[in-house]
Amino acid sequence: MDVVDLHCDALWKMTTAKGTIPFRNGKELDTNLYRLQKGKVKVQAFALFIEPSVKTAEQFSEILKQVDAFYEYVLKKNLEMKQIKTWKDFDDLKEGEIGAFLTLEGVDGIGNDLTHLRTLYRLGVLSVGLTWNPANLAADGVGEPRGGGLTLFGKEIVQLNNEHQVLTDVSHLSERGFWDVLELADYPIASHSNSKALCNHPRNLTDEQAEALFKKGGMIHVVYNPPFITESGEATIDDLIRHIDHFCSLGGVHQIGLGSDFDGITEKVKGLEDAAQTQNLIVKLLKYFTEEEVRGFAGENFLRNRPK
């Protein structure tokens, strides 16, 4: 069953290693080409993520290095990988091709310059998260004790996302920031978040948030990171499925997807340690849900709900 995965950090891992990890078969990558093929991942989103320790003046340059890695190491050297730059491109993928698109995880790197953001749109960014865990010029993340919402600049970014039919990602946002986005965004999404009712972690969503996101037409893509799945920090595939089942109980059966966070996590779900094992999750899901529902979770919900 083909899968759409809304989040991985392969570009960050590859650039941190200064290009020494081959995307095709690099053992260090959870989402190398061979593992994506084996796991039947038909579309993989590649996040642009900058460590908070990077100096402000160097952050946009670091983002561009990751964009360059995407073009040079993921696309150019692997003809099976096809870039998705517009939403229509999803419909043009052929047998044997894997779609790849860029997302921005935190807008720190654009500074206060929307020209930088428009440049990233032109390079193919289709989803923008305002923050990682700390605060920035746009909003507070879940790691900022202040818990503030969007700034005026953050609201400008959401409006620009709307104009360009770009998703606004609420994963990592403070709760107040979440509600600000939900009020403004035409295309809200949680690319890699789980249920706070099942695992009380700051990165997860309350039932109230989940229900509101579903009502707005947004999606929640569950994340494979064990600390976001169980409070013990150890997780099985069944534990992850409980989050899917819970979101279904809140009315989200047609608005649930997958967002692994591979290459950005150190702990792994048992039996779901890299992209090659993705079908282990699909097989287990088929024991609890109908084939139509599982196809939805795997990718069809996203393809149906994405901007047109």
Side-chain angles (χ1 to χ4, degrees):
M1 193 177 291
D2 287 344
V3 168
V4 175
D5 182 352
L6 255 282
H7 193 86
C8 83
D9 285 296
L11 299 178
W12 167 78
K13 188 177 281 187
M14 292 168 70
T15 52
T16 300
K18 300 187 184 302
T20 61
I21 302 174
F23 175 74
R24 194 168 194 83
N25 60 0
K27 293 184 294 184
E28 302 91 336
L29 289 179
D30 301 329
T31 51
N32 69 35
L33 173 61
Y34 291 166
R35 286 173 171 163
L36 292 175
Q37 290 173 326
K38 186 173 181 181
K40 297 187 183 299
V41 178
K42 184 65 174 176
V43 177
Q44 180 65 62
F46 289 82
L48 302 169
F49 166 70
I50 306 301
E51 293 276 8
S53 58
V54 176
K55 293 179 181 179
T56 301
E58 299 172 0
Q59 287 184 350
F60 191 63
S61 175
E62 289 299 313
I63 287 177
L64 293 181
K65 286 179 184 177
Q66 292 188 21
V67 174
D68 184 63
F70 178 70
Y71 277 90
E72 290 296 313
Y73 304 136
V74 175
L75 299 175
K76 187 176 179 180
K77 294 186 177 181
N78 302 280
L79 298 182
E80 300 92 335
M81 302 298 295
K82 298 296 178 182
Q83 186 182 11
I84 293 172
K85 289 190 76 169
T86 72
W87 298 113
K88 293 179 181 178
D89 293 341
F90 281 91
D91 302 323
D92 297 329
L93 288 175
K94 299 180 176 61
E95 187 72 27
E97 293 180 343
I98 296 176
F101 70 96
L102 293 170
T103 68
L104 182 61
E105 187 173 23
V107 298
D108 306 58
I110 71 169
N112 63 352
D113 189 349
L114 291 177
T115 301
H116 287 160
L117 183 58
R118 285 190 287 267
T119 297
L120 293 175
Y121 292 154
R122 294 181 185 108
L123 290 169
V125 167
L126 292 178
S127 177
V128 173
L130 296 176
T131 67
W132 190 57
N133 294 332
N136 60 22
L137 295 178
D140 282 1
V142 297
E144 171 54 57
R146 174 180 54 187
L150 269 59
T151 64
L152 290 176
F153 181 61
K155 292 177 181 180
E156 282 188 81
I157 290 171
V158 175
Q159 290 164 351
L160 201 60
N161 286 345
N162 292 344
E163 290 172 22
H164 287 79
Q165 290 191 303
V166 167
L167 304 172
T168 298
D169 188 357
V170 299
S171 291
H172 288 287
L173 262 180
S174 68
E175 187 164 349
R176 187 172 169 189
F178 169 93
W179 292 112
D180 285 347
V181 165
L182 215 62
E183 182 178 342
L184 295 171
D186 291 340
Y187 312 104
I189 194 168
S191 67
H192 57 308
S193 294
N194 290 338
S195 168
K196 189 171 282 191
L198 300 187
C199 180
N200 188 23
H201 192 285
R203 276 278 286 100
N204 287 339
L205 299 172
T206 66
D207 286 358
E208 185 182 10
Q209 288 175 297
E211 289 174 335
L213 191 53
F214 294 147
K215 188 175 181 180
K216 185 76 184 264
M219 288 195 56
I220 297 175
H221 288 245
V222 296
V223 57
Y224 307 172
N225 191 16
F228 302 166
I229 299 171
T230 68
E231 292 180 17
S232 71
E234 296 182 358
T236 64
I237 291 176
D238 279 324
D239 291 325
L240 178 60
I241 289 174
R242 289 187 187 97
H243 287 263
I244 293 174
D245 187 54
H246 184 73
F247 285 139
C248 285
S249 75
L250 300 177
V253 65
H254 299 301
Q255 292 163 272
I256 297 167
L258 306 177
S260 68
D261 206 3
F262 279 141
D263 293 307
I265 55 178
T266 52
E267 294 101 76
K268 304 292 180 63
V269 174
K270 296 171 185 174
L272 195 56
E273 284 88 2
D274 60 48
Q277 298 181 312
T278 302
Q279 293 301 308
N280 291 345
L281 171 59
I282 301 302
V283 169
K284 206 62 172 291
L285 281 167
L286 287 167
K287 294 183 178 180
Y288 300 103
F289 300 93
T290 67
E291 181 176 343
E292 180 183 2
E293 289 169 338
V294 177
R295 288 191 182 279
F297 306 151
E300 290 184 3
N301 286 344
F302 177 76
L303 296 177
R304 182 175 56 250
N305 289 307
R306 76 186 194 270
K308 297 298 188 283

